[in-house]
């Protein structure tokens, strides 16, 4: 699928057909171009092909998609699609003009399409058009596809259309002899001609400034979530990675401090805890850091035992901190408490400590929680939301669904591998650059490929501190298992401790 995502602004029929083609195992070796702009159109100044489907050994199908709930052909031959004004150009004619424009472009660019049937069709995704649109000399029956074709399988409908289209062309032109194309070479040439890959000429510094400016602007938009929940005492903000939870948690802490309140900002991860602590080092109203580091301080302990395990972190440490807090008066308790990564802290022992840390406790204190309960829990523990709702009486929930960090193609690539669930939208605009996939053999050493990728990014101007290497495993990750001395030198686990 090029691009590998379908914009939310696309008509519903295009989104449905895109999803059907992307998810069908039968299309694995196909190439599908979506929303192909046509600068040199045979009829008008410019145009667009909704889909160009390149199927090896079957042909190329240009599709015009119509999502309207009602379709009518008037007595004078004009088409009325939904509530649109009648038009003399039929959807099949639109597809036909796009197809001829593409043929001419490929010919001018000397792309060999010998033996490749190139045909067109109109797809009415929300109506049963095939049963209701009468035959006409203006189109052929096989050029009409509808909602039934989509329901029964988009891939099989396209293969049927290409078969009938190739038979029609051969009956008239007698041009196909032997096996049909495109072969792999023709597929690559057609694809690269219609959707060429290119490097844009902006400097790395320009891209960095643009990225930082975009993130600031889009995070500002996410702050509307805080505004919407300002009148609620206790709020749980949920959302997948990239929806701005940590930055919202930090902004919430700053807002509370600006109102003269003192409180705590907590998280689970040690690396994030150090970042938050540094960020709020000069903010007198906020104590920031990991939950457990703050409990160590409250309990009067300089550090945890070298062999500390769950019994210490959720048992001895919490008990020591609770004992210390029982002697506190209200002046020592926090006016507000903000917890990021709460999916890893939603446990009874933690909530016991929170109850004593906060003025008014869980029942009446100012409490803001941020977490991803679907994908980012480090431990395979039960969903902590029922525990939170039981202990925090009037807990309000706000779902963050818009990705403000990643470019759409990167986010969709992660969804392809089921790393993160689907987003409802993206703040950043697509830059037209597709992510690169590097394959390796299962069980083989990834070191050479990873080192090559990092060096390539360094050549583009990225600092090592700007490159993150993610792995679903710790014990057998390249950072641990690689014999490459350079990799072992530059790869540092996110918690900062070498393994």
């Amino acid at each position: 699928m090029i691009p590998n995502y379908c914009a939310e602004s696309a008509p519903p029929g295009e989104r449905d057909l895109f999803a059907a083609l992307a998810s069908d195992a039968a299309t694995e070796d196909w190439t599908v171009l979506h929303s192909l702009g046509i600068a040199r159109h045979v009829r008008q100044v410019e145009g667009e092909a909704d889909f160009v489907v390149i199927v090896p050994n079957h042909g190329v199908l240009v599709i015009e998609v119509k999502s309207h709930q009602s379709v009518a052909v008037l007595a004078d031959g004009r088409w009325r699609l939904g509530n649109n004004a009648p038009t003399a150009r039929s959807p099949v004619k639109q597809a036909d003009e796009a197809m001829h424009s593409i043929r001419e472009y490929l010919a001018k660019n000397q792309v060999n399409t010998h033996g490749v049937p190139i045909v067109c069709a109109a797809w009415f995704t929300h109506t049963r058009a095939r049963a209701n649109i009468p035959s006409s000399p203006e189109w052929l029956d096989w050029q009409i596809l509808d909602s039934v074709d989509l329901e029964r399988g988009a891939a099989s409908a396209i293969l049927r259309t290409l078969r009938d289209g190739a038979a029609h062309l051969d009956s008239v032109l007698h041009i196909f002899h032997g096996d049909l194309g495109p072969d792999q070479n023709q597929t690559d040439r057609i694809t690269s001609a219609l959707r060429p890959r290119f490097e844009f000429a902006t400097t790395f510094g320009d891209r960095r400034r643009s990225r930082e400016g975009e993130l600031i602007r889009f995070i500002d938009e996410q702050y509307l979530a805080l505004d919407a929940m300002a009148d609620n005492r206790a709020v749980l903000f949920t959302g997948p990675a990239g929806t701005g939870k940590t930055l919202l948690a930090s902004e919430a802490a700053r807002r509370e401090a600006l109102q003269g309140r003192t409180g705590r900002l907590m998280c689970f991860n040690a690396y994030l805890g150090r970042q938050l602590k540094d960020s709020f080092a000069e903010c007198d109203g906020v104590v920031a850091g990991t939950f457990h580091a703050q409990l160590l301080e409250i309990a009067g302990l300089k550090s945890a035992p070298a062999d500390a395990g769950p019994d210490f972190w959720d048992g001895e440490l919490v008990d020591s901190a609770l004992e210390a807090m029982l002697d506190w008066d209200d002046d020592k308790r926090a006016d507000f408490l903000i917890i990021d990564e709460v999916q890893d802290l939603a446990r009874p022992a933690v909530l016991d400590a929170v109850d004593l840390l906060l003025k008014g406790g869980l029942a009446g204190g100012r409490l803001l929680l941020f977490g991803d309960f679907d994908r980012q829990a480090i431990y395979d523990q039960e969903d902590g939301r029922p525990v939170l709702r039981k202990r925090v009486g009037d807990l309000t929930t706000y779902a963050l669904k818009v990705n403000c960090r990643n470019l759409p193609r990167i986010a969709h690539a992660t969804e392809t591998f089921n790393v993160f669930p689907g987003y409802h939208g993206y703040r950043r605009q697509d830059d037209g650059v597709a992510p690169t996939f590097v394959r390796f053999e299962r069980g083989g050493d990834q070191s050479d490929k990873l080192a090559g990728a990092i060096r390539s990014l360094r050549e583009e101007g990225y600092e090592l501190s700007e490159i993150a290497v993610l792995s679903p495993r710790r014990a057998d990750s390249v950072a641990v298992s690689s014999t490459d001395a350079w990799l072992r030198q530059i790869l540092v686990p996110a918690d900062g401790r070498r393994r």
Side-chain angles (χ1 to χ4, degrees), residues 266-481:
M266 299 175 156
C267 65
F268 176 80
N269 180 269
Y271 179 73
L272 176 59
R274 287 195 297 274
Q275 285 188 316
L276 293 177
K277 185 175 182 178
D278 292 343
S279 178
F280 284 89
E282 298 181 5
C283 183
D284 294 335
V286 180
V287 177
T290 67
F291 170 79
H292 293 105
Q294 295 193 41
L295 284 199
L296 284 170
E297 184 178 346
I298 291 169
L301 301 174
K302 291 184 177 180
S303 62
D307 59 348
D311 289 341
F312 172 78
W313 295 113
D314 289 341
E316 297 174 33
L317 175 59
V318 174
D319 290 343
S320 298
L322 289 174
E323 186 175 349
M325 287 188 288
L326 286 174
D327 296 329
W328 283 6
D329 55 30
D330 253 8
D331 290 340
K332 295 193 68 174
R333 304 188 197 282
D335 296 326
F336 64 89
L337 196 59
I338 299 170
I339 303 178
D340 193 16
E341 303 178 316
V342 72
Q343 73 275 356
D344 293 310
L345 292 168
R347 302 190 291 276
V350 173
L351 294 178
D352 288 342
V354 170
D355 199 29
L356 287 181
L357 275 169
L358 184 61
K359 286 181 182 177
L362 294 173
R366 174 66 166 159
L367 183 63
L368 300 178
L369 309 173
F370 297 81
D372 178 1
F373 289 86
D374 295 319
R375 298 284 172 166
Q376 288 192 348
I378 293 178
Y379 298 113
D380 292 330
Q381 58 190 26
E382 295 183 3
D383 190 333
R385 281 173 288 192
V387 176
L388 291 173
R389 293 191 185 100
K390 182 177 180 180
R391 297 288 301 271
V392 187
D394 54 346
L395 183 65
T396 304
T397 301
Y398 188 101
L400 300 166
K401 293 292 187 179
V402 178
N403 188 311
C404 59
R405 177 198 299 162
N406 305 112
L407 292 164
R409 298 190 191 210
I410 297 296
H412 278 278
T414 63
E415 292 180 61
T416 300
F417 293 104
N418 202 31
V419 178
F420 299 121
Y423 300 99
H424 286 187
Y426 305 89
R427 297 289 191 206
R428 301 182 69 188
Q429 296 296 312
D430 178 39
D431 65 353
V433 180
T436 300
F437 294 91
V438 180
R439 300 178 181 273
F440 69 95
E441 294 295 328
R442 179 178 304 197
D445 187 2
Q446 307 169 40
S447 299
D448 288 345
K449 295 183 183 295
L450 179 58
I454 294 174
R455 287 191 171 100
S456 176
L457 290 171
R458 292 284 288 125
E459 290 172 1
E460 291 183 31
Y462 287 93
E463 299 294 335
L464 286 175
S465 60
E466 295 180 294
I467 301 172
V469 180
L470 307 181
S471 172
R473 299 178 177 86
R474 174 179 296 193
D476 56 351
S477 67
V478 174
V480 175
S481 61

Side-chain angles (χ1 to χ4, degrees), residues 166-177:
H168 168 73
L169 290 177
D170 195 49
S171 68
V172 177
L173 303 175
H174 309 290
I175 56 175
F176 299 123
H177 307 285

